[in-house]
Amino acid sequence: MEGNLHLVGAGLVVIGVGIGIGRIGGSALDAIARQPEATAKIQTVMLIAAALIEGIGFAALFAVS
């Protein structure tokens, strides 16, 4: 039973990270569509935010296992 709870927690972490990164990407595309001249800045911030979310996801996976 204990192992199954770890798998559920790991699955929730992966789903949460996927949703978060997906929302960041979608919002960045909306921002680029509105202000194409700010594309470089928006992409930089998007990549940093996605990396931070992914790092938190990895830390959560290690905490679950």
Side-chain angles (χ1 to χ4, degrees), residues 31-53:
I32 290 170
R34 290 188 183 116
Q35 292 185 332
E37 66 277 0
T39 298
K41 288 183 181 182
I42 293 168
Q43 285 178 340
T44 301
V45 172
M46 176 190 69
L47 288 174
I48 291 170
L52 289 172
I53 289 175

Side-chain angles (χ1 to χ4, degrees), residues 50-61:
L52 289 172
I53 289 175
E54 191 170 341
I56 291 170
F58 280 133
L61 282 175

Side-chain angles (χ1 to χ4, degrees), residues 15-42:
I15 290 170
V17 168
I19 290 171
I21 292 175
R23 290 190 61 170
I24 287 173
S27 296
L29 287 176
D30 287 342
I32 290 170
R34 290 188 183 116
Q35 292 185 332
E37 66 277 0
T39 298
K41 288 183 181 182
I42 293 168

